[in-house]
Amino acid sequence: MEKKTFAVLGMMCAGCAANVERRLNQTEGVQSASVNLPARTALIDYDETVTSPEQMKESLSAIGYDLVIEEDRNVEAIERRAYTGLMMKVVASWVIAAVVMAISMGWINIGTRDTANQSMLILALLNILYPGRQFYVNTVRQLMHASANMDTLVALSTGISFLFSAFNTFWGESYWGAQGIEWHTYFDASVMIITFVLTGRLMEERAKHSTASAIRDLMSLTPKTARLVVDGSTVDAPISALQPGDTIEVRAGEKIPVDGTVVGDSVAYIDESMMTGESVAVEKKTGDKVLAGTIVKEGMLRFKAEEIGQKTVLANMIRMVQEAQGSKAPVQRIVDKIALIFVPAVGGIALLTFLAWYLIGGQAYLPQAILSAVSVLVIACPCAMGLATPTALMVGIGKAAEKNILIKDATALEEIRKVNAMVVDKTGTLTQQPIANSQQPTANEELKPHAREAMQQLQQMGIEVYMMSGDKEERAKEIAHEAGIEHYRSEVLPQDKENLVRDLQAQGKHVAMVGDGINDSQALARADVSIAMGKGTDVAMDVAQVTLMGTDLRRIPDAISLSKQTVNMIHQNLFWAFIYNIICIPLAAGLPYLFGVHWQITPMWASALMAFSSVSVVLNSLRLKIKK
């Protein structure tokens, strides 16, 4: 099995994401596919003996989306061009809209009513053919494969408005006038719907760009070139040309390009804060490990490359964050199912709205029936629902990464907030790791900086803390007292740690385990939430749902607080997304008329409100960035 994250181009709404995910999951050989709309990515777990990225790309291409599988394609450059193109369409649409509104409102007098209508018809057609063209192209592609998305709603609403207005332009007087029915054209609605939807998407794109800032910051840590040592002299080479075993030179102020081991008489001080959160520069000399993305603050060093490309620690961090941001929280899976049927359901509601008005008033109410149906099609946007969870998750997981907290998936982020009991390993977690030399082993007999403060914060949050130690009773009691921990156990074996976790769970506790060694892996696997120290063993980090880079234990309460903030934000977003549709759809359908109130949301305002709903959800999620 292969698990990879691919960029997906062409997704604009929650319906798009649902269609892409469904298409991928229907592909033979794909075990699971999870699509992240804000990040424009798909996390795919597939059997490479059954299917291939090329086959998945072809499958998505058939419904109008592009799976980026080529390593040399610059996705960021493609998205920048797409953003520029969207901006040009927005400007063009606003120019057309301004002229159409001026004619419609009588601010520009261009002759007779027929001349004005014909002029607006031409402008509205131009708006459809250039700024709005993609809505119609995508709708045709979707319908050919029995699917629909937000583009379908926009194409239907603007198409109906345009065609009805075109009919009235040429036959309004002879058909409606002959029956004594007042008639109008609604080219302004057709134009403004496209204008507002495109404007909303432009604003969304700007806001979504901010949600992915953590990944971009991590990616920017890797330099583009390296100074390769060849026959005693140096030559600049692209990162892609480096091989394991190459000797690389890095000078003060430069970033280390790949992972490796210092060789020769090199000595330098390295800033590893972006990897560990530790602000003090670390001395590196012969035999020490250096990591890609860290910065030489003083001195100069040469090192032998060992892990390059996607195998570096930094690349693994980026991959972990990407996969976590692309994973789905349990609540998101429910929303995805709603989004998948939402567009067809809205089409049904719009049809019922049309029939209700027509049955109430007959031929004379046909314009009202059409406008009400168009308003329902426009205002009922699934985008806000589709963006509610992933945007908050992207910001939350990204903010965690900035604080050197790596969260494996969305479920872990959701679960951390529920923790009310925590089992903490002593050696290597609360205290410094044992240090051994050739003469005799010595242990550093002290607590890590801020360990006591972190334990106090956890207990103030209502979390019971239990320290587990293999030390004798006297030593374990001493460390527990220093750390401010009331509950502790001494002389424990790995099985004892797991048993404690199991016992606490049997009491109804939601248990987190914090450890760093192989002897903690059993308890880590058993816990509801597993937390590993980033300087611990690979086994502990593989099992753990959360990895703390560095030694600062205050990141544990930080992670819990961030989890609570993120989940609260998701709930806020979903509330507003659902309440928006619950309130606005009846208003757009004209429900107030039943109670004697002659008012409803018009198609033009419906498009503005729809655009605002999606943007507001993204902006609300971005508030996480500034929360403490």
Side-chain angles (χ1 to χ4, degrees):
M1 298 298 296
E2 189 75 26
K3 191 174 186 179
K4 286 185 179 179
T5 298
F6 299 93
V8 181
L9 303 178
M11 295 192 300
M12 299 302 295
C13 71
C16 295
N19 288 332
V20 168
E21 187 166 286
R22 179 175 61 176
R23 186 80 171 185
L24 288 170
N25 280 313
Q26 289 174 345
T27 303
E28 186 180 3
V30 173
Q31 182 174 339
S32 66
S34 176
V35 172
N36 186 324
L37 175 60
R40 303 287 198 274
T41 59
L43 177 60
I44 309 174
D45 199 355
Y46 64 98
D47 186 342
E48 56 187 348
T49 64
V50 179
T51 189
S52 66
E54 288 77 15
Q55 288 172 298
M56 292 184 283
K57 179 184 179 74
E58 186 178 345
S59 177
L60 285 187
S61 180
I63 58 171
Y65 304 102
D66 185 12
L67 190 73
V68 181
I69 62 174
E70 304 86 356
E71 292 187 5
D72 58 344
R73 284 184 74 184
N74 189 329
V75 175
E76 195 168 339
I78 294 171
E79 290 181 340
R80 277 200 303 269
R81 288 196 296 271
Y83 182 82
T84 302
L86 179 59
M87 189 182 296
M88 292 173 63
K89 289 178 181 178
V90 168
V91 171
S93 194
W94 271 109
V95 170
I96 293 171
V99 178
V100 168
M101 290 300 296
I103 296 173
S104 175
M105 301 297 291
W107 300 334
I108 298 177
N109 187 356
I110 59 172
T112 65
R113 182 182 187 183
D114 286 344
T115 304
N117 284 333
Q118 289 166 13
S119 300
M120 289 190 291
L121 184 152
I122 293 170
L123 289 168
L125 184 60
L126 287 173
N127 200 52
I128 286 172
L129 293 176
Y130 173 52
R133 179 177 179 273
Q134 203 61 37
F135 294 120
Y136 298 89
V137 172
N138 289 342
T139 296
V140 172
R141 285 175 175 169
Q142 295 290 328
L143 293 178
M144 287 174 64
H145 293 86
S147 60
N149 59 14
M150 187 59 206
D151 289 347
T152 311
L153 298 181
V154 174
L156 281 174
S157 58
T158 55
I160 291 169
S161 300
F162 178 82
L163 292 174
F164 183 62
S165 299
F167 175 87
N168 286 354
T169 297
F170 296 107
W171 297 288
E173 189 58 41
S174 60
Y175 185 78
W176 302 110
Q179 301 177 58
I181 298 173
E182 186 178 356
W183 59 275
H184 301 278
T185 58
Y186 304 96
F187 293 116
D188 53 350
S190 171
V191 170
M192 291 308 298
I193 289 170
I194 290 174
T195 303
F196 278 130
V197 172
L198 289 175
T199 303
R201 287 189 175 177
L202 187 71
M203 294 172 69
E204 273 182 50
E205 291 303 308
R206 286 183 63 87
K208 287 175 189 172
H209 188 72
S210 297
T211 65
S213 61
I215 284 290
R216 288 195 304 275
D217 291 344
L218 284 173
M219 288 180 168
S220 68
L221 294 177
T222 306
K224 303 299 182 186
T225 61
R227 189 175 292 105
L228 191 60
V229 179
V230 181
D231 297 329
S233 59
T234 60
V235 58
D236 287 341
I239 294 294
S240 57
L242 299 182
Q243 297 293 328
D246 286 346
T247 300
I248 299 165
E249 181 178 289
V250 188
R251 299 169 186 171
E254 298 177 344
K255 293 178 181 177
I256 293 174
V258 295
D259 295 354
T261 301
V262 179
V263 296
D265 298 326
S266 300
V267 177
Y269 286 87
I270 308 293
D271 178 0
E272 296 183 326
S273 59
M274 67 287 297
M275 302 291 287
T276 66
E278 312 294 345
S279 58
V280 179
V282 180
E283 183 185 29
K284 297 289 182 179
K285 54 187 182 299
T286 304
D288 289 340
K289 296 286 186 181
V290 291
L291 301 176
T294 57
I295 303 170
V296 177
K297 301 298 289 185
E298 294 181 31
M300 182 274 289
L301 62 78
R302 287 185 175 182
F303 69 96
K304 193 172 291 292
E306 293 175 347
E307 302 292 350
I308 63 173
Q310 296 303 307
K311 295 183 178 180
T312 65
V313 171
L314 177 60
N316 284 327
M317 284 179 61
I318 292 170
R319 184 161 52 251
M320 182 181 286
V321 175
Q322 283 180 323
E323 289 183 1
Q325 290 182 331
S327 63
K328 291 188 184 294
V331 68
Q332 178 63 22
R333 301 191 182 281
I334 299 172
V335 174
D336 286 347
K337 290 178 181 178
I338 295 172
L340 201 58
I341 63 170
F342 194 84
V343 173
V346 168
I349 294 171
L351 180 60
L352 289 175
T353 300
F354 173 83
L355 292 174
W357 276 108
Y358 190 74
L359 291 173
I360 289 171
Q363 187 84 335
Y365 273 42
L366 183 59
Q368 176 68 35
I370 290 174
L371 284 181
S372 298
V374 166
S375 295
V376 169
L377 287 172
V378 173
I379 206 162
C381 173
C383 291
M385 287 188 295
L387 290 167
T389 300
T391 50
L393 285 175
M394 281 193 70
V395 176
I397 290 171
K399 185 173 181 179
E402 290 171 356
K403 296 178 77 68
N404 300 100
I405 304 167
L406 300 184
I407 298 174
K408 187 167 283 187
D409 55 36
T411 302
L413 183 65
E414 243 191 329
E415 290 295 308
I416 304 171
R417 70 191 173 96
K418 302 176 186 175
V419 168
N420 53 18
M422 186 170 291
V423 178
V424 183
D425 173 55
K426 181 186 78 71
T427 305
T429 302
L430 279 175
T431 63
Q432 307 290 354
Q433 281 275 19
I435 303 170
N437 58 36
S438 56
Q439 269 71 38
Q440 59 181 16
T442 60
N444 189 351
E445 287 315 322
E446 71 189 53
L447 285 176
K448 288 181 178 177
H450 312 298
R452 182 180 177 88
E453 181 184 349
M455 296 303 107
Q456 288 176 339
Q457 287 178 8
L458 289 170
Q459 291 172 89
Q460 287 168 4
M461 297 169 85
I463 298 171
E464 294 179 1
V465 180
Y466 297 79
M467 187 193 83
M468 300 292 277
S469 173
D471 283 343
K472 299 290 184 183
E473 168 68 18
E474 185 178 348
R475 178 59 178 155
K477 181 178 180 179
E478 180 185 346
I479 292 294
H481 178 73
E482 286 182 26
I485 298 173
E486 180 181 352
H487 309 288
Y488 71 92
R489 292 186 185 178
S490 60
E491 301 183 63
V492 298
L493 299 173
Q495 185 62 49
D496 297 324
K497 297 179 183 180
E498 181 185 359
N499 289 340
L500 175 59
V501 171
R502 198 191 295 268
D503 291 344
L504 291 171
Q505 289 172 330
Q507 297 171 29
K509 305 283 188 184
H510 203 79
V511 185
M513 171 68 196
V514 188
D516 75 316
I518 293 175
N519 60 353
D520 299 320
S521 57
Q522 285 177 251
L524 287 167
R526 171 61 58 184
D528 298 296
V529 176
S530 49
I531 304 173
M533 306 304 294
K535 289 191 174 180
T537 66
D538 290 339
V539 174
M541 292 176 65
D542 286 343
V543 172
Q545 296 165 297
V546 179
T547 300
L548 307 182
M549 304 302 291
T551 61
D552 193 341
L553 291 168
R554 292 177 299 178
R555 293 184 189 128
I556 300 175
D558 282 349
I560 295 170
S561 297
L562 188 57
S563 170
K564 291 177 179 178
Q565 291 174 1
T566 304
V567 173
N568 286 340
M569 192 66 70
I570 289 171
H571 292 164
Q572 287 176 27
N573 287 347
L574 287 174
F575 171 80
W576 288 114
F578 278 105
I579 206 73
Y580 163 84
N581 281 290
I582 290 169
I583 293 174
C584 289
I585 289 177
L587 294 178
L591 189 65
Y593 278 83
L594 295 179
F595 302 97
V597 179
H598 288 203
W599 179 86
Q600 73 180 111
I601 297 175
T602 63
M604 185 170 67
W605 283 109
S607 58
L609 287 170
M610 182 271 288
F612 174 76
S613 70
S614 299
V615 174
S616 63
V617 163
V618 180
L619 293 178
N620 190 45
S621 297
L622 287 173
R623 290 196 302 116
L624 275 173
K625 280 179 168 286
I626 58 174
K627 276 182 172 286
K628 290 186 178 179

